[in-house]
Amino acid sequence: MNEKIDDFYYMKEALKEAKKAKDKDEIPIGCVVVKNNIIIGRGHNLVESNNNPLRHAELIAIEDASKKIDNWRFNGCTLYVTLEPCAMCSGALVYSRMDRVVFGAYDYKRGYCGSIESLPTKTELNHKVEILGGVMEKECLLLIQDFFKKLRIRNKAN
Amino acid sequence: MNEKIDDFYYMKEALKEAKKAKDKDEIPIGCVVVKNNIIIGRGHNLVESNNNPLRHAELIAIEDASKKIDNWRFNGCTLYVTLEPCAMCSGALVYSRMDRVVFGAYDYKRGYCGSIESLPTKTELNHKVEILGGVMEKECLLLIQDFFKKLRIRNKAN
């Protein structure tokens, strides 16, 4: 792994965002965008609350950050997210020209940063994003597993 | 091709949106989302104007439509767009559970609805989107080619 000391600090911040999603009964996924050691964007999954399929944590954090930097180019930025990004969000990493993505848990069924395939490093696309997976994997995965466990119990009771 | 008569009508509406982008000096790409023969969402490329990498025509139209139907599931909907969707927007088609996507011009360098690969029909993902490309291809392509031609002339003059 090519971890940096700061990666743990920022992943903890992404986990704080994920817990906000959990408190709203959303799948607990959280994200922060960092530039020059400053968090410039935050987001957590809000698909159900907002009834909007685009409200993934990553897209919310990118939108938040783009307002802060007043720029659509994220050179020099790292995006931290608790779950491996899906195809849509992996595409967003490319189109926002993000430098680096660091994720916690792997998503073997939907992940496009290595699991199904690796979109941010695709040779055909004109921007490459450095990928690091598995940072604080256990904590990130546990949060999601716990959410689905409780959901199953609740659904059985109804 | 598996065209429907209505496809031309709605692609003309997407072209109207593309012309709005052109008038704002944006790459002229436009989009509409249709359900039960009603346009429920419209959008045109606003990446530069909004300084936001997520402001592709498709994402704006999906966001607009999700507010109208107050739902993140787009079953029964067709998205019309003048240019083949990129990886991010092709992912959005999957995650919005769109029924069908109809596009005009092919984007051989960035297109993820058949050109580089076909994300909306990927067997690994849990939703499939029917794809039809090349509807009013000439008109859609001409608009984009004309934009870049004028841009080159302008850049040479500066």
Side-chain angles (χ1 to χ4, degrees), chain A residues 35 40 62-75 96-97, chain B residues 47-48 50-54:
Chain A
K35 185 171 188 169
I40 58 166
I62 289 173
E63 173 133 6
D64 187 31
S66 77
K67 284 178 193 157
K68 292 249 173 63
I69 59 173
D70 200 23
N71 202 331
W72 64 264
R73 297 169 193 85
F74 283 68
N75 309 93
S96 61
R97 303 200 188 160
Chain B
V47 169
E48 297 286 349
N50 289 6
N51 253 337
N52 184 331
L54 311 177

Side-chain angles (χ1 to χ4, degrees), chain B residues 1-156:
Chain B
M1 294 235 287
N2 190 20
E3 282 161 357
K4 297 173 183 173
I5 296 171
D6 289 346
D7 287 345
F8 296 97
Y9 175 78
Y10 294 119
M11 190 55 82
K12 277 182 198 164
E13 291 296 315
L15 271 163
K16 282 184 196 169
E17 285 296 318
K19 282 166 193 163
K20 289 182 194 169
K22 186 189 157 195
D23 291 343
K24 294 171 185 166
D25 243 0
E26 296 272 359
I27 302 173
I29 304 164
C31 180
V32 295
V33 178
V34 176
K35 184 170 188 168
N36 299 331
N37 295 315
I38 294 166
I39 295 176
I40 58 166
R42 310 185 75 103
H44 53 274
N45 175 30
L46 286 172
V47 169
E48 297 286 349
S49 313
N50 289 6
N51 253 337
N52 184 331
L54 311 177
R55 286 290 178 265
H56 286 203
E58 299 94 317
L59 297 199
I60 294 171
I62 289 173
E63 174 134 4
D64 186 33
S66 77
K67 284 178 193 157
K68 293 252 173 61
I69 58 172
D70 201 22
N71 203 330
W72 64 264
R73 297 170 192 83
F74 283 68
N75 308 92
C77 296
T78 299
L79 182 142
Y80 294 83
V81 59
T82 55
L83 183 69
E84 184 180 354
C86 72
M88 171 175 74
C89 295
S90 299
L93 292 168
V94 175
Y95 287 99
S96 62
R97 302 201 187 159
M98 198 70 67
D99 263 12
R100 191 165 170 257
V101 56
V102 179
F103 67 85
Y106 287 84
D107 187 347
Y108 298 108
K109 285 187 181 171
R110 282 172 296 263
Y112 261 73
C113 284
S115 287
I116 291 186
E117 64 175 77
S118 178
L119 210 151
T121 56
K122 194 100 173 168
T123 48
E124 289 92 337
L125 298 174
N126 67 351
H127 178 80
K128 304 272 163 301
V129 186
E130 191 189 321
I131 300 172
L132 174 63
V135 171
M136 298 186 70
E137 184 178 6
K138 207 172 144 183
E139 292 88 336
C140 295
L141 188 62
L142 205 67
L143 199 64
I144 293 170
Q145 284 176 334
D146 187 55
F147 173 84
F148 282 106
K149 197 174 157 185
K150 282 181 181 153
L151 192 69
R152 276 192 299 272
I153 292 169
R154 209 163 57 188
N155 286 346
K156 261 190 194 174

Side-chain angles (χ1 to χ4, degrees), chain A residues 11-67:
Chain A
M11 189 57 81
K12 277 182 198 163
E13 291 297 315
L15 270 163
K16 282 184 196 168
E17 285 297 317
K19 282 166 193 161
K20 290 182 195 168
K22 186 190 156 192
D23 292 342
K24 292 171 185 167
D25 244 1
E26 295 272 358
I27 302 172
I29 305 164
C31 179
V32 294
V33 178
V34 176
K35 185 171 188 169
N36 299 330
N37 295 314
I38 293 165
I39 295 175
I40 58 166
R42 308 185 74 102
H44 53 272
N45 173 30
L46 286 172
V47 169
E48 296 286 348
S49 313
N50 289 5
N51 254 336
N52 183 331
L54 310 177
R55 285 290 177 266
H56 286 203
E58 299 93 317
L59 298 199
I60 294 172
I62 289 173
E63 173 133 6
D64 187 31
S66 77
K67 284 178 193 157

